Amino acid sequence: MHRLVPYQTGLWLAEYLNVRCQLCRIYRSTPQSQLLMQQSQANSNDASSEHSEFSLSSNPSSFAHIFHQINHRLNRGLLCTYCHNSIAWLPQPFDIDIAAGRSLSIQVSTYYEYPIRQAIRAFKHHEDMTKLPLLLHALRQLPRPHGCHRNNSVIVAMPTTNQRLVKRGFDPVSILSSQLSKHWQIPLWHGVERIDDTVSQQGLTRAERLSNLNNAFALTEKPPVKRLLLFDDVSTTGASLQALARAFISSEQTVTINAQSHSNYHISAYALAHGSQS
């Protein structure tokens, strides 16, 4: 029997056995009395809904309906309604130039601010897996790109270097991208590597980030499809995703001019968080 790694076990427990909101459980910034009132109202609404739905499913052929209700309960999300609505989801995408006449659209799940910022930092820098369910909830807010499916698209996670992997002990973007792959039902593709001679992007200005990432990525094989969905955990300036996209554009230049019109990749990018509302 295939054994779950610890973080997978934690996600399974959080999603199916722990009915408490993952945000209320970690960050109790809301007064308990207010949380209880919100929860009471939510329970009342759920009870009314379930009563009416039960009446509709009282016929002998209600097995499919009951199964649907169970599935809905298990997939209602990892945050309560109050906490979910307290976060600004899906800001407008922003574009960055990747070549002459071509831009890269970056869609993020939310802003890089409380509580997502604290959860990402704890997960990335302290390997705090208790924050992963909150990040998983954020991932699920990203809608699957229109027209993309498992047969025509791949997800390309932001690669890390061997040096950073050894230092950190795990690859947070790899874990997050695997969950996004399950959510979208689109496979991951690992045909690009990151060169070891670049430094961390944290603390650098935009100009320094762009300079630092020159030729930072190299393809180890040709992508199997033309639709490439780039993913990173945080897109501060978009420089990393820009450099990754340019690695694919550079590979297009090896194609003959006659065939180049048929070789262009359709590239879009996604991340958990970017910027702030202010």
Side-chain angles (χ1 to χ4, degrees):
M1 179 178 179
H2 177 68
R3 296 182 60 185
L4 296 176
V5 298
Y7 84 86
Q8 291 174 318
T9 304
L11 283 177
W12 189 88
L13 292 173
E15 187 150 26
Y16 299 112
L17 294 184
N18 188 351
V19 297
R20 297 177 64 187
C21 167
Q22 294 300 304
L23 183 53
C24 295
R25 182 177 65 85
I26 299 173
Y27 305 113
R28 292 192 176 275
S29 59
T30 305
Q32 185 68 16
S33 58
Q34 187 175 355
L35 288 174
L36 290 174
M37 182 176 64
Q38 294 286 341
Q39 188 62 42
S40 176
Q41 292 175 351
N43 289 341
S44 298
N45 294 335
D46 289 344
S48 300
S49 176
E50 289 173 2
H51 176 74
S52 60
E53 289 165 350
F54 179 77
S55 299
L56 293 172
S57 63
S58 58
N59 59 76
S61 60
S62 62
F63 177 79
H65 180 80
I66 294 174
F67 177 81
H68 172 76
Q69 290 303 114
I70 294 174
N71 186 65
H72 172 73
R73 180 176 293 276
L74 293 177
N75 291 280
R76 60 186 175 181
L78 291 160
L79 299 187
C80 67
T81 302
Y82 177 81
C83 287
H84 174 87
N85 293 337
S86 69
I87 299 174
W89 300 110
L90 297 180
Q92 285 295 319
F94 64 99
D95 297 335
I96 56 176
D97 295 329
I98 54 176
R102 295 182 66 174
S103 63
L104 177 68
S105 175
I106 303 177
Q107 173 67 70
V108 301
S109 176
T110 186
Y111 295 101
Y112 189 57
E113 56 189 24
Y114 174 87
I116 300 299
R117 179 179 61 230
Q118 286 80 353
I120 290 176
R121 287 178 175 176
F123 176 59
K124 287 181 64 173
H125 303 300
H126 303 289
E127 202 171 349
D128 186 349
M129 294 297 168
T130 65
K131 307 302 188 295
L132 188 52
L134 173 57
L135 302 182
L136 176 58
H137 184 89
L139 274 180
R140 291 178 177 175
Q141 308 314 307
L142 291 171
R144 184 197 304 200
H146 181 71
C148 294
H149 51 77
R150 64 169 62 250
N151 296 322
N152 71 352
S153 309
V154 293
I155 297 173
V156 184
M158 180 63 63
T160 188
T161 65
N162 292 332
Q163 180 181 1
R164 294 177 198 171
L165 184 59
V166 170
K167 181 179 180 180
R168 179 170 284 162
F170 79 117
D171 182 9
V173 175
S174 177
I175 293 176
L176 293 170
S177 61
S178 68
Q179 297 301 317
L180 183 63
S181 175
K182 292 177 182 178
H183 176 56
W184 281 351
Q185 292 296 297
I186 294 176
L188 287 168
W189 180 73
H190 303 283
V192 61
E193 63 181 4
R194 189 162 187 159
I195 310 303
D196 273 321
D197 59 359
T198 59
V199 300
S200 173
Q201 292 285 87
Q202 294 184 12
L204 301 182
T205 66
R206 177 171 177 78
E208 290 170 338
R209 286 170 182 263
L210 293 173
S211 176
N212 180 51
L213 290 171
N214 286 337
N215 303 314
F217 302 98
L219 272 63
T220 58
E221 59 183 274
K222 182 180 178 181
V225 293
K226 296 299 182 183
R227 298 193 181 199
L228 309 176
L229 312 175
L230 313 186
F231 174 76
D232 202 0
D233 54 355
V234 179
S235 181
T236 305
T237 64
S240 295
L241 290 168
Q242 181 185 50
L244 182 58
R246 285 176 172 172
F248 291 102
I249 293 176
S250 297
S251 70
E252 293 174 352
Q253 298 174 357
T254 62
V255 183
T256 61
I257 296 178
N258 292 334
Q260 191 165 356
S261 60
H262 303 288
S263 67
N264 288 347
Y265 296 112
H266 301 277
I267 308 174
S268 54
Y270 303 83
L272 271 183
H274 162 78
S276 64
Q277 296 186 72
S278 57

